[in-house]
Amino acid sequence: MKYDFDTVHNRENTNSIKYKPHPRYPNVQDIIPMWIADMDLQTAPGITDALQSASKDGIFGYTEFDDEYFDLLIAWNKKRFGFDIRREWIVPCESVMFGIAATIRALTDTNDSVLILEPVYYPFANVIKDNNRRLVVSELKYDGMRYSIDFNDLENKIIEDNVKLLLFCSPHNPVGRVWDKEELNRVTEICIRNNVIIISDEIHSDLVYKKHFRTASLSNEAADVTVSAVSVTKTFNLAGIKGADLIIASADIRNKIKKEILSVYSGGPSIMSVVAAKAAYRYGEAWLEELLQYLKSNADYVIESFANTKIKPIVPEGTYLLWLDCRELGLCSHDLEKFFIQDCGVWMNNGFIFGKGGNGFMRMDIACPKSILEKAISQIKKHL
Ligand SMILES: Cc1ncc(COP(=O)(O)O)c(C=O)c1O
């Protein structure tokens, strides 16, 4: 490999959230953090070089997006997803969750219903409730190997609860699905039929082991009802630098969201987020291709290591988050967490926080050097 993903970097004392003491188990020594979704891997060298060069002069004044930023974003979407976007469709914002919160406020009223498919990235439920909207949940179906959407339940809930917005995760964190074209078509058809607008959170869309389709790219009708949320932060490990884009074809929807974003005065972008995003699009693709091979081999390693044990990893189609079915261990969620953290010294996300269907599962972030993964797996296997 041309790029180095094997070196272990010391992230202690860097204000990293991932490396802070565990709130409930602060005394566990040498805990291996595999919970929050950032990588223990250095970003692409072209991005580091661009950031270093931008800080050389020590001047960090107000900044704005230039033509190059939009052109690079448009070219990336065309090349990697076959998605044609017009420049005016792009609405940059601070982060994906910021964009989702703004979209919810812009397109719905207090107490309106917003639907999510659980188990899902847990801030989805919070952002709906925190903005005083009504949370409606349709649970994904799980056949012991793979997750799928319960389309009948989805449409029934939309009708019964008068749902206005679908907050859709594609690829889906934490269950690792990259939705097929046919599944996406059914979701958009249901939403169009019932006047539901889709926020399609596609932050994980570059991190896939099969083809990803942007929801909005399926048809003109789909584009008209979809707000796509994209970012380079997950792909290139830039979460602490921040930045995201909403891509919105409908002028009406776009204007409402722009107005909402203006009203909270978040101002222009961080200078470093513009530099990093442009460098990522310009120089990051070769690094990304190698990263994907590395992550896939990490996922394969975990799956092989847990073969014939009571831990059943779901084979991921995308994301660097492995969803582990631990129900055969027969532990309640409290004891499951205690087992992994206190006994094994491996800090993962407890599945129950992802909502319905999450009990008995754990989410493991495998975006780390292989040696860390080996250590974590061996500690877990020792205690199984
Ligand atoms: C599905 C999903 N959306 C949004 C985020 C957070 O994005 P941001 O930091 O840009 O708000 C994450 C982070 O893990 C995520 O998994």
Side-chain angles (χ1 to χ4, degrees):
M1 281 204 168
K2 181 174 164 206
Y3 299 100
D4 170 21
F5 300 109
D6 284 327
T7 300
V8 175
H9 298 275
N10 184 357
R11 298 183 65 192
E12 304 283 348
N13 305 314
T14 60
N15 282 346
S16 156
I17 292 183
K18 195 173 186 176
Y19 281 79
K20 69 183 181 186
H22 192 288
R24 286 181 293 286
Y25 300 93
N27 299 323
V28 180
Q29 296 296 308
D30 299 326
I31 198 164
I32 304 178
M34 309 185 91
W35 62 290
I36 196 169
D38 72 24
M39 303 197 235
D40 292 326
L41 307 170
Q42 246 177 11
T43 192
I47 300 177
T48 318
D49 290 349
L51 288 167
Q52 277 167 355
S53 158
S55 60
K56 221 172 40 238
D57 291 336
I59 295 175
F60 305 100
Y62 287 117
T63 192
E64 64 181 0
F65 297 97
D66 56 2
D67 288 343
E68 195 191 4
Y69 176 89
F70 294 104
D71 291 346
L72 287 165
L73 174 61
I74 290 168
W76 184 269
N77 274 275
K78 174 80 184 153
K79 181 170 180 202
R80 293 197 73 90
F81 306 107
F83 184 34
D84 283 307
I85 357 176
R86 297 207 202 120
R87 172 162 170 177
E88 66 267 24
W89 295 3
I90 303 169
V91 181
C93 59
E94 284 181 27
S95 69
V96 166
M97 286 310 298
F98 178 93
I100 288 173
T103 303
I104 290 174
R105 287 194 302 275
L107 303 184
T108 61
D109 293 320
T110 304
N111 292 329
D112 276 353
S113 298
V114 182
L115 190 142
I116 58 176
L117 300 169
E118 284 187 346
V120 75
Y121 179 57
Y122 56 91
F124 275 20
N126 297 338
V127 73
I128 294 167
K129 292 186 280 189
D130 288 344
N131 283 287
N132 302 315
R133 271 49 173 181
R134 209 159 74 79
L135 174 66
V136 179
V137 173
S138 175
E139 195 177 330
L140 293 173
K141 290 195 290 195
Y142 175 51
D143 64 7
M145 299 276 284
R146 195 167 191 252
Y147 282 82
S148 56
I149 296 170
D150 186 339
F151 293 104
N152 287 335
D153 184 65
L154 172 64
E155 185 151 25
N156 287 341
K157 295 252 165 68
I158 284 177
I159 295 168
E160 279 163 22
D161 292 282
N162 192 18
V163 167
K164 298 280 170 28
L165 264 184
L166 167 65
L167 177 45
F168 188 56
C169 199
S170 179
H172 193 102
N173 166 14
V175 307
R177 279 298 318 276
V178 174
W179 305 113
D180 298 333
K181 209 172 188 177
E182 200 220 297
E183 294 172 302
L184 292 170
N185 274 327
R186 287 185 74 178
V187 169
T188 55
E189 278 160 22
I190 290 172
C191 288
I192 291 166
R193 199 160 48 234
N194 294 287
N195 296 319
V196 171
I197 292 169
I198 305 169
I199 315 175
S200 192
D201 177 342
E202 304 192 19
I203 194 169
H204 294 278
S205 54
D206 293 311
L207 300 166
V208 292
Y209 317 115
K210 63 181 258 203
K211 191 165 170 47
H212 170 86
F213 295 93
R214 291 238 185 275
T215 309
S217 72
L218 295 176
S219 63
N220 290 341
E221 293 75 22
D224 278 345
V225 297
T226 303
V227 175
S228 313
V230 304
S231 176
V232 287
T233 53
K234 202 62 65 187
T235 316
F236 293 98
N237 206 21
L238 302 168
I241 286 186
K242 307 195 82 78
D245 293 283
L246 302 177
I247 303 172
I248 315 163
S250 153
D252 177 44
I253 294 176
R254 192 166 63 236
N255 289 336
K256 287 180 182 153
I257 295 173
K258 275 179 148 173
K259 201 168 153 213
E260 174 61 36
I261 290 178
L262 280 176
S263 77
V264 294
Y265 284 79
S266 77
S270 144
I271 189 166
M272 289 310 185
S273 85
V274 182
V275 169
K278 288 201 294 189
Y281 289 131
R282 191 177 283 288
Y283 309 116
E285 201 167 15
W287 177 91
L288 171 60
E289 294 303 341
E290 279 200 10
L291 170 78
L292 288 171
Q293 286 176 37
Y294 197 84
L295 295 177
K296 178 80 178 57
S297 122
N298 274 2
D300 291 345
Y301 172 74
V302 178
I303 292 164
E304 280 160 27
S305 304
F306 285 137
N308 306 316
T309 72
K310 291 186 173 175
I311 298 177
K312 315 272 179 231
I314 312 299
V315 179
E317 295 173 340
T319 83
Y320 52 70
L321 306 162
L322 269 199
W323 188 235
L324 308 179
D325 183 347
C326 307
R327 291 173 306 165
E328 277 186 27
L329 291 174
L331 300 173
C332 69
S333 54
H334 173 269
D335 289 347
L336 197 59
E337 180 175 282
K338 198 161 160 232
F339 168 71
F340 283 110
I341 293 170
Q342 194 163 283
D343 300 347
C344 308
V346 178
W347 179 358
M348 297 186 276
N349 284 113
N350 198 330
F352 89 91
I353 64 173
F354 297 89
K356 283 199 176 118
N359 262 331
F361 291 76
M362 298 294 287
R363 193 191 74 172
M364 178 187 248
D365 177 344
I366 56 159
C368 60
K370 176 85 178 280
S371 58
I372 294 186
L373 202 58
E374 285 168 345
K375 190 158 178 268
I377 299 293
S378 117
Q379 288 178 200
I380 294 172
K381 285 186 85 172
K382 207 162 73 196
H383 289 88
L384 268 183

